[in-house]
Amino acid sequence: MHEDFIRQTIALAAQARSDGNEPFGALLVIDGNVVLTATNSVATDRDPTAHAETNLVSAAIRQLSRDQIRRAILYTSCEPCAMCVGKIYWAGIRSLVYALPADELAVFAGPDFLVPCRDLFSRAIEPVKVVGPMLVEEARIVHIGFWPKPVAEGSNSTNNRQHRES
């Protein structure tokens, strides 16, 4: 069952890329049904915080009850970054499934602010169930050819990218 939803997030990531944004997608499932979807909109919104997960959680907060949010599973095409982890946690979502791990994304986009989501969630008072990575090969495809070559670690140059979502 997780694989079907993850494939949908990968399709959303491809949609985000075709819309001129970074290739990330996310969706929210309650009782086996997709209730919300979101894509990255960093470029089109001119907002470096408009990651697929933050966009999804913002919609969930506006449209769903607290109980629905607690019962929801958030699926995402890539392991969430530290910012997204915080928003997911504070919104009350306690289940997460992701495809591409952050260290795999770093191969394409660079290792900027790379913190595994499990490390962050492990510091929370309430437990968050995390499943992933999964379907890594499928999730990787949407990133091929998108990212400029990352700047080497330790370089005095700034990263070729201004923003990165993970």
Side-chain angles (χ1 to χ4, degrees), residues 12 16 19 21-26 38-44 50-52 55 165:
L12 288 164
D19 291 343
N21 290 295
E22 297 172 348
F24 301 97
T39 60
N40 175 290
S41 59
V42 165
T44 53
H51 294 191
N55 291 340
E165 176 181 4

Side-chain angles (χ1 to χ4, degrees), residues 2 5-6 9 25-29 52-54 56-57 69-82 84-89 92-100 115-121 127-134 166:
H2 288 317
F5 294 128
I6 285 295
T9 68
L27 57 83
L28 207 60
V29 172
E53 299 93 338
T54 58
L56 183 72
V57 172
I69 291 171
R70 281 229 177 248
R71 292 186 296 117
I73 302 171
L74 190 150
Y75 288 85
T76 183
S77 62
C78 189
E79 183 174 3
C81 72
C84 292
V85 164
K87 190 155 186 169
I88 290 165
Y89 183 79
I93 296 168
R94 296 298 180 255
S95 294
L96 168 74
V97 181
Y98 69 90
L100 191 69
V115 181
C117 71
R118 281 184 176 86
D119 290 356
L120 294 169
F121 283 130
V128 177
K129 180 181 177 185
V130 178
V131 176
M134 63 187 317
S166 59

Side-chain angles (χ1 to χ4, degrees), residues 108-154:
F108 295 104
D112 188 31
F113 203 50
L114 180 65
V115 181
C117 71
R118 281 184 176 86
D119 290 356
L120 294 169
F121 283 130
S122 73
R123 297 172 181 263
I125 292 173
E126 292 185 27
V128 177
K129 180 181 177 185
V130 178
V131 176
M134 63 187 317
L135 301 178
V136 174
E137 291 299 321
E138 292 177 43
R140 186 182 291 125
I141 291 169
V142 74
H143 295 275
I144 295 172
F146 178 80
W147 303 100
K149 186 174 180 172
V151 173
E153 284 188 74

